[in-house]
Amino acid sequence: SQQGEEDPQALSIQEGENATMNCSYKTSINNLQWYRQNSGRGLVHLILIRSNEREKHSGRLRVTLDTSKKSSSLLITASRAADTASYFCATDGNSNSGYALNFGKGTSLLVTP
Amino acid sequence: NAGVTQTPKFQVLKTGQSMTLQCAQDMNHEYMSWYRQDPGMGLRLIHYSVGAGITDQGEVPNGYNVSRSTTEDFPLRLLSAAPSQTSVYFCASSLAGTGANVLTFGAGSRLTVL
Protein backbone atom coordinates (compact mmCIF):
# COMPACT_ATOMS: atom_id res chain seq x y z
CA SER A 1 0.00 0.00 0.00
CA GLN A 2 1.17 3.52 -0.68
CA GLN A 3 2.71 5.10 2.34
CA GLY A 4 3.33 8.66 1.27
CA GLU A 5 0.84 11.18 -0.02
CA GLU A 6 2.05 14.41 -1.57
CA ASP A 7 0.22 17.70 -1.45
CA PRO A 8 -0.60 19.61 -3.58
CA GLN A 9 -1.10 17.35 -6.60
CA ALA A 10 -0.10 20.22 -8.88
CA LEU A 11 1.69 23.50 -8.34
CA SER A 12 2.34 26.34 -10.79
CA ILE A 13 4.72 29.18 -9.97
CA GLN A 14 6.93 31.72 -11.71
CA GLU A 15 10.68 31.62 -11.92
CA GLY A 16 12.31 33.03 -8.82
CA GLU A 17 9.49 32.04 -6.50
CA ASN A 18 9.78 29.34 -3.88
CA ALA A 19 7.94 26.04 -4.23
CA THR A 20 6.79 24.02 -1.25
CA MET A 21 5.53 20.46 -1.45
CA ASN A 22 4.28 18.35 1.42
CA CYS A 23 4.27 14.65 2.13
CA SER A 24 2.28 12.77 4.73
CA TYR A 25 2.81 9.16 5.64
CA LYS A 26 1.08 6.59 7.80
CA THR A 27 3.51 4.39 9.71
CA SER A 28 6.82 4.92 11.46
CA ILE A 29 9.86 5.28 9.23
CA ASN A 30 13.63 5.03 9.36
CA ASN A 31 14.11 7.66 6.69
CA LEU A 32 12.27 9.63 4.04
CA GLN A 33 13.51 10.49 0.58
CA TRP A 34 12.52 12.91 -2.16
CA TYR A 35 12.88 12.11 -5.86
CA ARG A 36 12.37 14.16 -9.00
CA GLN A 37 11.01 12.86 -12.30
CA ASN A 38 11.29 14.85 -15.50
CA SER A 39 8.71 14.10 -18.14
CA GLY A 40 9.33 10.75 -19.81
CA ARG A 41 12.34 9.95 -17.63
CA GLY A 42 13.19 7.84 -14.61
CA LEU A 43 13.22 9.14 -11.07
CA VAL A 44 16.31 10.82 -9.68
CA HIS A 45 17.16 10.89 -5.98
CA LEU A 46 17.31 14.40 -4.50
CA ILE A 47 17.72 14.16 -0.76
CA LEU A 48 17.30 11.81 2.20
CA ILE A 49 16.37 12.73 5.74
CA ARG A 50 16.61 10.28 8.61
CA SER A 51 13.97 9.91 11.29
CA ASN A 52 16.22 11.52 13.92
CA GLU A 53 16.78 14.62 11.77
CA ARG A 54 14.44 17.60 11.60
CA GLU A 55 15.87 19.58 8.72
CA LYS A 56 18.32 19.07 5.90
CA HIS A 57 19.67 21.28 3.12
CA SER A 58 21.16 20.55 -0.27
CA GLY A 59 21.78 23.51 -2.56
CA ARG A 60 18.39 25.16 -3.19
CA LEU A 61 16.55 22.29 -1.52
CA ARG A 62 15.40 22.29 2.08
CA VAL A 63 13.64 19.30 3.58
CA THR A 64 11.95 19.16 6.95
CA LEU A 65 10.61 16.15 8.81
CA ASP A 66 8.10 16.09 11.63
CA THR A 67 7.79 12.51 12.86
CA SER A 68 5.12 13.45 15.41
CA LYS A 69 2.87 14.61 12.56
CA LYS A 70 4.18 12.00 10.14
CA SER A 71 4.87 14.67 7.57
CA SER A 72 7.69 16.16 5.52
CA SER A 73 8.05 19.19 3.30
CA LEU A 74 10.32 19.95 0.37
CA LEU A 75 11.14 23.58 -0.32
CA ILE A 76 12.79 24.61 -3.57
CA THR A 77 14.06 28.17 -3.32
CA ALA A 78 14.49 30.59 -6.24
CA SER A 79 12.90 28.15 -8.66
CA ARG A 80 13.98 27.86 -12.29
CA ALA A 81 12.20 26.60 -15.38
CA ALA A 82 14.47 23.55 -15.21
CA ASP A 83 12.84 22.62 -11.88
CA THR A 84 9.66 21.75 -13.79
CA ALA A 85 9.09 18.09 -12.95
CA SER A 86 7.12 15.76 -10.71
CA TYR A 87 8.36 15.31 -7.16
CA PHE A 88 7.81 12.18 -5.09
CA CYS A 89 8.40 11.33 -1.48
CA ALA A 90 9.38 7.79 -0.59
CA THR A 91 9.41 6.07 2.78
CA ASP A 92 10.71 2.77 4.06
CA GLY A 93 7.93 2.25 6.54
CA ASN A 94 5.62 -0.74 6.37
CA SER A 95 8.39 -2.80 4.79
CA ASN A 96 9.03 -6.37 5.93
CA SER A 97 12.39 -6.45 4.19
CA GLY A 98 13.56 -3.05 5.30
CA TYR A 99 14.43 -2.32 1.68
CA ALA A 100 11.18 -1.75 -0.15
CA LEU A 101 10.35 1.92 -0.67
CA ASN A 102 6.80 3.18 -0.86
CA PHE A 103 6.20 6.17 -3.11
CA GLY A 104 3.44 8.72 -3.05
CA LYS A 105 1.53 9.87 -6.12
CA GLY A 106 3.68 12.94 -6.59
CA THR A 107 3.39 16.70 -6.95
CA SER A 108 3.59 18.09 -10.46
CA LEU A 109 5.53 21.37 -10.43
CA LEU A 110 5.40 23.82 -13.32
CA VAL A 111 7.79 26.76 -13.26
CA THR A 112 7.07 29.38 -15.90
CA PRO A 113 9.59 31.99 -17.08
CA ASN B 1 29.27 3.85 -16.19
CA ALA B 2 25.84 3.08 -17.69
CA GLY B 3 23.92 2.82 -14.39
CA VAL B 4 20.59 1.01 -14.81
CA THR B 5 19.71 -0.02 -18.35
CA GLN B 6 16.21 -1.10 -19.34
CA THR B 7 15.16 -2.65 -22.61
CA PRO B 8 12.99 -2.27 -24.58
CA LYS B 9 11.95 1.37 -24.16
CA PHE B 10 8.63 0.76 -25.89
CA GLN B 11 6.64 -2.41 -26.51
CA VAL B 12 3.17 -3.20 -27.80
CA LEU B 13 1.69 -6.61 -27.01
CA LYS B 14 -1.56 -8.36 -27.71
CA THR B 15 -3.56 -9.85 -24.86
CA GLY B 16 -2.17 -13.25 -23.94
CA GLN B 17 1.30 -12.72 -25.35
CA SER B 18 4.35 -13.09 -23.18
CA MET B 19 7.45 -10.98 -22.96
CA THR B 20 10.40 -10.10 -20.76
CA LEU B 21 11.48 -6.65 -19.73
CA GLN B 22 15.21 -6.58 -19.25
CA CYS B 23 17.06 -4.70 -16.52
CA ALA B 24 20.81 -4.59 -16.04
CA GLN B 25 23.00 -2.55 -13.70
CA ASP B 26 26.77 -2.19 -13.65
CA MET B 27 27.17 -0.68 -10.19
CA ASN B 28 27.43 -3.98 -8.28
CA HIS B 29 24.19 -3.15 -6.47
CA GLU B 30 22.77 -5.95 -4.38
CA TYR B 31 19.21 -4.62 -4.29
CA MET B 32 17.10 -4.48 -7.45
CA SER B 33 13.40 -3.82 -7.88
CA TRP B 34 10.63 -3.31 -10.40
CA TYR B 35 7.94 -0.64 -10.13
CA ARG B 36 5.02 0.21 -12.35
CA GLN B 37 3.79 3.76 -12.76
CA ASP B 38 0.22 4.49 -13.72
CA PRO B 39 -1.52 7.88 -14.00
CA GLY B 40 -2.89 8.94 -10.64
CA MET B 41 -1.43 5.90 -8.89
CA GLY B 42 2.18 6.83 -8.40
CA LEU B 43 4.76 4.07 -8.31
CA ARG B 44 3.85 0.63 -7.04
CA LEU B 45 6.38 -2.06 -6.20
CA ILE B 46 6.01 -5.30 -8.17
CA HIS B 47 8.95 -7.49 -7.12
CA TYR B 48 12.33 -6.94 -5.57
CA SER B 49 15.56 -8.81 -4.89
CA VAL B 50 18.18 -8.33 -2.19
CA GLY B 51 20.78 -10.46 -3.94
CA ALA B 52 21.38 -13.18 -6.51
CA GLY B 53 19.00 -16.08 -5.97
CA ILE B 54 16.70 -14.09 -3.66
CA THR B 55 13.44 -12.50 -4.78
CA ASP B 56 10.30 -11.35 -3.02
CA GLN B 57 6.92 -9.91 -3.85
CA GLY B 58 5.98 -6.29 -3.59
CA GLU B 59 2.58 -4.62 -3.55
CA VAL B 60 1.32 -5.74 -6.99
CA PRO B 61 3.07 -9.03 -7.96
CA ASN B 62 0.21 -10.84 -9.70
CA GLY B 63 0.84 -11.52 -13.39
CA TYR B 64 4.59 -10.99 -13.12
CA ASN B 65 7.55 -13.30 -12.52
CA VAL B 66 11.14 -12.44 -11.71
CA SER B 67 14.42 -14.24 -11.20
CA ARG B 68 17.88 -13.10 -10.13
CA SER B 69 20.55 -15.43 -11.42
CA THR B 70 23.29 -12.78 -11.41
CA THR B 71 23.98 -9.59 -9.46
CA GLU B 72 23.73 -7.53 -12.65
CA ASP B 73 20.42 -8.68 -14.16
CA PHE B 74 16.83 -8.67 -12.93
CA PRO B 75 14.36 -9.48 -15.74
CA LEU B 76 10.61 -9.05 -15.33
CA ARG B 77 8.44 -11.60 -17.15
CA LEU B 78 4.83 -11.22 -18.20
CA LEU B 79 3.58 -14.72 -18.94
CA SER B 80 0.17 -13.79 -20.36
CA ALA B 81 -0.21 -10.06 -20.88
CA ALA B 82 -3.47 -8.33 -19.97
CA PRO B 83 -4.65 -4.79 -20.79
CA SER B 84 -4.42 -3.98 -17.06
CA GLN B 85 -0.65 -4.37 -17.39
CA THR B 86 -0.44 -1.39 -19.72
CA SER B 87 1.91 0.86 -17.80
CA VAL B 88 5.37 2.36 -17.57
CA TYR B 89 7.78 0.02 -15.83
CA PHE B 90 10.84 1.16 -13.94
CA CYS B 91 13.73 -0.89 -12.70
CA ALA B 92 15.73 0.51 -9.78
CA SER B 93 18.76 -0.65 -7.85
CA SER B 94 20.73 0.28 -4.77
CA LEU B 95 23.54 -0.78 -2.48
CA ALA B 96 22.02 -2.78 0.31
CA GLY B 97 23.14 -2.62 3.92
CA THR B 98 23.86 1.10 4.04
CA GLY B 99 20.99 1.90 6.37
CA ALA B 100 19.10 3.72 3.64
CA ASN B 101 17.84 2.40 0.33
CA VAL B 102 18.71 5.19 -2.14
CA LEU B 103 17.51 4.04 -5.54
CA THR B 104 19.03 4.55 -8.97
CA PHE B 105 16.32 4.27 -11.61
CA GLY B 106 16.39 3.19 -15.22
CA ALA B 107 14.77 5.30 -17.93
CA GLY B 108 11.63 3.15 -18.03
CA SER B 109 9.87 0.79 -20.39
CA ARG B 110 6.49 1.80 -21.74
CA LEU B 111 4.27 -1.23 -22.33
CA THR B 112 0.92 -1.20 -24.11
CA VAL B 113 -1.26 -4.31 -24.08
CA LEU B 114 -4.06 -4.33 -26.66
Side-chain angles (χ1 to χ4, degrees):
Chain A
S1 60
Q2 284 175 314
Q3 166 81 303
E5 196 73 32
E6 291 90 347
D7 170 65
Q9 288 186 343
L11 180 60
S12 181
I13 60 174
Q14 291 188 316
E15 270 191 327
E17 294 181 335
N18 295 342
T20 299
M21 289 156 267
N22 303 298
C23 170
S24 60
Y25 57 92
K26 298 175 183 175
T27 64
S28 61
I29 61 172
N30 295 311
N31 56 71
L32 184 145
Q33 302 178 48
W34 286 90
Y35 288 79
R36 182 188 74 230
Q37 183 182 33
N38 291 92
S39 181
R41 309 290 290 273
L43 282 73
V44 175
H45 177 257
L46 293 176
I47 194 166
L48 176 148
I49 187 165
R50 299 188 187 276
S51 59
N52 61 355
E53 297 175 312
R54 292 297 167 258
E55 187 171 313
K56 201 162 183 180
H57 297 255
S58 177
R60 294 184 296 112
L61 304 180
R62 173 180 167 247
V63 171
T64 62
L65 179 64
D66 187 336
T67 53
S68 67
K69 296 181 179 179
K70 291 187 171 60
S71 68
S72 173
S73 67
L74 172 67
L75 168 67
I76 304 175
T77 60
S79 61
R80 306 165 181 168
D83 294 327
T84 294
S86 291
Y87 292 82
F88 296 86
C89 67
T91 60
D92 63 350
N94 201 30
S95 165
N96 292 332
S97 73
Y99 292 112
L101 288 185
N102 296 292
F103 287 82
K105 297 178 182 179
T107 291
S108 178
L109 173 65
L110 174 65
V111 182
T112 55
Chain B
N1 192 339
V4 178
T5 302
Q6 290 184 234
T7 57
K9 292 191 185 307
F10 301 94
Q11 182 71 49
V12 179
L13 290 178
K14 294 181 180 178
T15 296
Q17 287 185 319
S18 63
M19 78 156 300
T20 299
L21 298 177
Q22 302 290 346
C23 176
Q25 52 88 12
D26 61 359
M27 299 172 285
N28 203 30
H29 284 176
E30 294 163 323
Y31 177 85
M32 296 186 75
S33 55
W34 278 101
Y35 286 85
R36 60 177 289 173
Q37 184 176 33
D38 302 292
M41 297 295 290
L43 280 84
R44 292 181 291 171
L45 181 63
I46 305 171
H47 285 285
Y48 63 94
S49 168
V50 298
I54 306 169
T55 64
D56 207 346
Q57 297 180 348
E59 180 187 354
V60 288
N62 292 340
Y64 307 95
N65 282 347
V66 292
S67 60
R68 185 93 179 271
S69 57
T70 67
T71 299
E72 294 77 21
D73 300 296
F74 191 45
L76 179 71
R77 298 183 184 86
L78 286 72
L79 297 179
S80 179
S84 61
Q85 294 178 304
T86 293
S87 187
V88 181
Y89 292 86
F90 289 97
C91 179
S93 70
S94 73
L95 279 172
T98 61
N101 197 15
V102 176
L103 297 177
T104 299
F105 279 82
S109 297
R110 182 176 294 274
L111 175 66
T112 301
V113 183
L114 304 176

